[in-house]
Amino acid sequence: MTTRLLEIENLTVRLAAGQAARPIIDGVSLHVEHGEAVGLVGESGSGKSVTCRSVLGLFPEGAEAAGGLRVDGADILTMSPTRLRDLRRRDASMIFQDPRASINPLRRIGDFVTEGLRASGVSRKGALDRAEELLESVGIRAPRAALRRYPHEFSGGMLQRVMIAGALAGGPRLLLADEPTTALDVTTQAEVVSILTRLQAERDMGMLFVTHDLELAAAICDRVYVMYAGRIVEAQSAEGLFSRPRHPYTSGLLAATPRLESDRPPHGVPGRPVSLSEAPSGCAFAARCAHARPGCTEHEPGLREIDGAQVACLRAEELIHD
Amino acid sequence: MTEYALEVENLRKTFGDHVAVDDVSLTLRPGGSLAIVGESGSGKTTTARMLVGLERPDSGRIRVAGRDRSGAARGRATRLARAREIQMVFQDPYLSLDPRVTVAACVEEPLRLHFAMTSAERRARRDELLARVGLGEREADALPRRLSGGQRQRVAIARALATEPKVLILDEATAALDVSIQAQILDLLAEIRRDTGVAYVFVTHNLALVRHVADDVLVLYRGRVAESGPARDVLAAPEHPYTRLLLHSLPHRGWDPARIAADRRALATATRERPPAPTSEKRSVTS
């Protein structure tokens, strides 16, 4: 049996005592196969970014993590700092939301793209040649000259391409994309996504794509996980999510999204998204849910398999949200 | 003849050599809703800022409820009168509210500035405004940091409504909110427009939103009007390649981002050779 590229099993992350006694993500399980694009969707406080960052061993300060977290079979939680650094350099890399906040403005683009290569022992000449190829593959014109330029000389969309080039430098098998296009204009978003998905397919990388935009996740990904208040509430194929959303939160999100092809005005979900630390006992969504029954606030619903979808809702069998 | 709530003719603004807004005209009837759509650099924010008086146009005319406000305001009374007529809600509720001022004081400030009211009248009006946007006593006493993004945006709306403006400019006012909250705010805005007859200018990059919030739409591309008309018609049968590109760029199933990227480059090349011109006169906004 081949090992999965990314396997998260029952991951729980607790903040350092004193900040909040309760966990910020609870019992999260998800996986990404080699070459597969997987979406992780949620609103503010859902824990989607914490989950994504945990894959590289990046936890909030003083946080405690428990559960299984493996990249290609190697356990992240017990990994030595040296091995973890190697993993971030070579096996798995992250594309962050705001390139302007994540790329050192005082250093040249070339330094940024070659940093990992140089650290793993590639010669300066070799690293620069490789960086030039990478910049070219993400559509930066005159890549040789671009290596000598500074971040402020690039637009947001161009700088995000530079970040993608940097993320690809070590030849990773796993890409973690944390809202990589949220800060971009819609047409720029399309361009960056086309570059990202092309390279992902060409290089047969697995990708965990974190976003608040269900439509975007469904357009890019094969499977989508939906998170709410630190837990996964639904997982299914992108297709199924739209045609047969199973969790009331998923259908609420779909109904709230303004749509071009529909006359139905977007319909808000009452209340506001909560984080796990604010969530009441039982189902965290119950307070906002039109289908909640008294039982919903008593037991925390676990994920159950229903018709190929995984749903954490006590009433999942009765409710189908077409 | 109907009097427009807002009437703009041939607006132009340059920053140094850069032409930010060029020859933009629009009209908005009382109680109407117009969306100004475009991406960064399209001139939509500069246009909005000129409408409320945060920037002075190089040339062109802006009339609100028939009164010209193109020139500089002379004196405090004129400035206040202008401010009463048109108000703005900004994109980021985390930046636009003073962190040291309670919600109640925030909403009372424009009341104090614009109306001669006793403090009892002012408090009553404040509570009415807060109730209008769905906030109660508990929120009134709070500082902004105690509120969620959606609640803060409700405060910003209440404050903007305090002067009973004819026109409310909503500059990406829901873009920073979670989608489930965005829909709540859109509901609230629709309700307020129905009840008070205020007219809206929605400045946005999201065409999917336009369909649900605006009667008319104006698409800006590189500072010029690429296309304008009733939102329904423009979205159903866009005539300008840029409008089509914006529409195709919205993620959906079966989305082909590679094609959009190619179209975008083709449009940029075509525009470099031949600057954009309005595609059709027949659709210019006339409502």
Side-chain angles (χ1 to χ4, degrees):
Chain A
M1 200 189 104
T2 53
T3 48
R4 279 175 167 159
L5 177 58
L6 170 64
E7 173 101 67
I8 300 180
E9 249 178 326
N10 210 5
L11 180 72
T12 296
V13 177
R14 274 170 210 283
L15 287 181
Q19 290 186 50
R22 302 178 68 169
I24 45 174
I25 61 173
D26 181 26
V28 168
S29 298
L30 64 83
H31 67 271
V32 179
E33 307 280 2
H34 289 272
E36 188 189 29
V38 172
L40 183 59
V41 175
E43 295 184 291
S44 346
S46 63
K48 58 188 190 301
S49 284
V50 175
T51 306
C52 179
R53 282 161 196 240
S54 71
V55 177
L56 291 186
L58 299 168
F59 295 103
E61 186 150 1
E64 271 178 47
L69 185 50
R70 289 182 295 277
V71 174
D72 245 346
D75 187 351
I76 304 288
L77 296 181
T78 58
M79 202 172 265
S80 73
T82 323
R83 174 74 191 86
L84 194 57
R85 210 156 48 229
D86 279 348
L87 175 117
R88 292 173 188 163
R89 197 183 287 148
R90 279 203 308 263
D91 305 319
S93 41
M94 176 94 85
I95 300 163
F96 294 96
Q97 172 172 353
D98 184 357
R100 233 169 268 289
S102 331
I103 297 179
N104 188 337
L106 298 178
R107 299 188 61 201
R108 295 176 198 274
I109 295 307
D111 295 328
F112 170 74
V113 180
T114 57
E115 190 179 5
L117 293 166
R118 294 286 287 134
S120 49
V122 179
S123 74
R124 189 178 150 71
K125 171 83 174 62
L128 282 174
D129 288 345
R130 177 97 188 89
E132 191 182 339
E133 279 170 39
L134 286 164
L135 288 181
E136 185 155 25
S137 73
V138 295
I140 302 263
R141 253 174 287 160
R144 194 87 209 172
L147 289 172
R148 299 196 50 79
R149 288 159 68 189
Y150 287 94
H152 72 266
E153 298 174 66
F154 293 81
S155 67
M158 284 297 160
L159 204 57
Q160 194 58 301
R161 294 163 187 233
V162 170
M163 174 121 78
I164 295 173
L168 296 178
R173 279 156 294 159
L174 176 62
L175 263 187
L176 303 156
D178 188 3
E179 302 251 18
T181 58
T182 304
L184 307 176
D185 275 326
V186 280
T187 62
T188 315
Q189 162 168 288
E191 194 143 354
V192 168
V193 164
S194 84
I195 290 165
L196 200 57
T197 49
R198 172 174 55 83
L199 292 168
Q200 185 239 336
E202 276 172 18
R203 293 165 186 237
D204 198 34
M205 293 180 290
M207 175 162 74
L208 184 65
F209 193 96
V210 176
T211 177
H212 65 282
D213 186 342
L214 259 179
E215 296 272 0
L216 180 62
I220 300 174
C221 301
D222 312 313
R223 285 185 302 119
V224 177
Y225 293 89
V226 180
M227 278 190 92
Y228 187 79
R231 299 188 184 107
I232 285 175
V233 295
E234 174 157 6
Q236 58 164 317
S237 68
E239 190 62 41
L241 207 61
F242 278 80
S243 53
R244 307 185 87 189
R246 291 284 184 170
H247 196 282
Y249 177 60
T250 315
S251 54
L253 271 186
L254 286 170
T257 309
R259 228 173 286 278
L260 259 185
E261 65 274 16
S262 161
D263 271 326
R264 229 170 35 182
H267 185 75
V269 183
R272 66 178 179 88
V274 292
S275 63
L276 184 54
S277 56
E278 303 166 286
S281 63
C283 171
F285 186 64
R288 303 176 72 190
C289 181
H291 308 285
R293 293 192 301 205
C296 291
T297 51
E298 284 160 27
H299 311 285
E300 183 210 319
L303 277 176
R304 287 174 301 140
E305 185 95 20
I306 298 168
D307 291 345
Q310 288 180 293
V311 198
C313 175
L314 289 178
R315 302 189 62 190
E317 284 91 349
E318 312 159 47
L319 302 164
I320 292 181
H321 312 276
D322 287 319
Chain B
M1 193 190 113
T2 46
E3 186 164 79
Y4 291 116
L6 176 65
E7 199 175 0
V8 171
E9 282 167 48
N10 313 106
L11 214 53
R12 180 182 167 90
K13 176 76 184 173
T14 53
F15 295 103
D17 292 339
H18 177 67
V19 183
V21 173
D22 190 15
D23 199 20
V24 168
S25 301
L26 59 90
T27 53
L28 177 63
R29 62 178 170 76
S33 178
L34 167 77
I36 300 182
V37 179
E39 297 185 288
S40 15
S42 65
K44 61 183 195 301
T45 296
T46 306
T47 302
R49 291 174 63 85
M50 285 191 282
L51 296 182
V52 291
L54 290 170
E55 299 282 354
R56 173 96 26 86
D58 295 352
S59 61
R61 286 163 82 84
I62 301 172
R63 268 189 296 256
V64 176
R67 279 182 289 280
D68 189 272
R69 51 160 64 207
S70 313
R74 285 212 197 87
R76 179 182 155 89
T78 321
R79 262 204 336 271
L80 285 177
R82 284 189 185 181
R84 264 200 300 281
E85 289 172 343
I86 187 161
Q87 285 284 319
M88 184 155 174
V89 176
F90 295 89
Q91 170 169 6
D92 189 345
Y94 289 86
L95 293 176
S96 60
L97 298 180
D98 187 329
R100 298 160 302 181
V101 174
T102 63
V103 167
C106 174
V107 176
E108 279 180 51
E109 192 182 11
L111 294 173
R112 187 174 291 121
L113 198 58
H114 288 279
F115 304 106
M117 287 176 161
T118 65
S119 58
E121 284 169 344
R122 197 160 50 232
R123 278 197 303 274
R125 176 74 179 129
R126 169 200 81 196
D127 290 340
E128 191 186 326
L129 284 162
L130 287 174
R132 169 78 271 189
V133 298
L135 296 176
E137 259 170 56
R138 204 166 60 90
E139 288 90 4
D141 295 333
L143 287 170
R145 71 180 139 85
R146 298 271 312 279
L147 304 181
S148 67
Q151 286 174 319
R152 289 177 202 220
Q153 212 54 318
R154 287 173 191 266
V155 175
I157 293 168
R159 180 181 160 101
L161 291 175
T163 65
E164 295 161 40
K166 304 273 187 297
V167 180
L168 195 57
I169 311 279
L170 300 146
D171 186 5
E172 298 274 13
T174 60
L177 304 176
D178 278 317
V179 49
S180 67
I181 303 301
Q182 165 174 282
Q184 292 174 8
I185 299 293
L186 294 177
D187 273 347
L188 173 69
L189 288 170
E191 205 180 285
I192 290 172
R193 178 158 79 109
R194 229 175 12 245
D195 297 351
T196 66
V198 61
Y200 289 156
V201 176
F202 272 92
V203 178
T204 179
H205 65 279
N206 186 349
L207 270 177
L209 197 65
V210 169
R211 167 170 192 151
H212 302 287
V213 300
D215 312 327
D216 295 308
V217 60
L218 187 80
V219 182
L220 290 183
Y221 182 57
R222 302 193 174 183
R224 301 181 61 112
V225 178
E227 182 163 2
S228 67
R232 192 167 281 275
D233 297 352
V234 171
L235 295 177
E239 292 187 0
H240 194 281
Y242 180 64
T243 315
R244 283 199 290 273
L245 178 67
L246 277 180
L247 280 168
H248 294 161
S249 295
L250 293 170
H252 53 89
R253 275 163 298 161
W255 195 46
D256 183 0
R259 212 194 109 205
I260 299 155
D263 288 350
R264 182 173 185 240
R265 279 190 296 275
L267 180 65
T269 315
T271 320
R272 254 197 307 280
E273 286 157 8
R274 186 175 45 83
T279 47
S280 100
E281 288 302 318
K282 71 175 196 294
R283 268 200 195 157
S284 55
V285 182
T286 51
S287 67

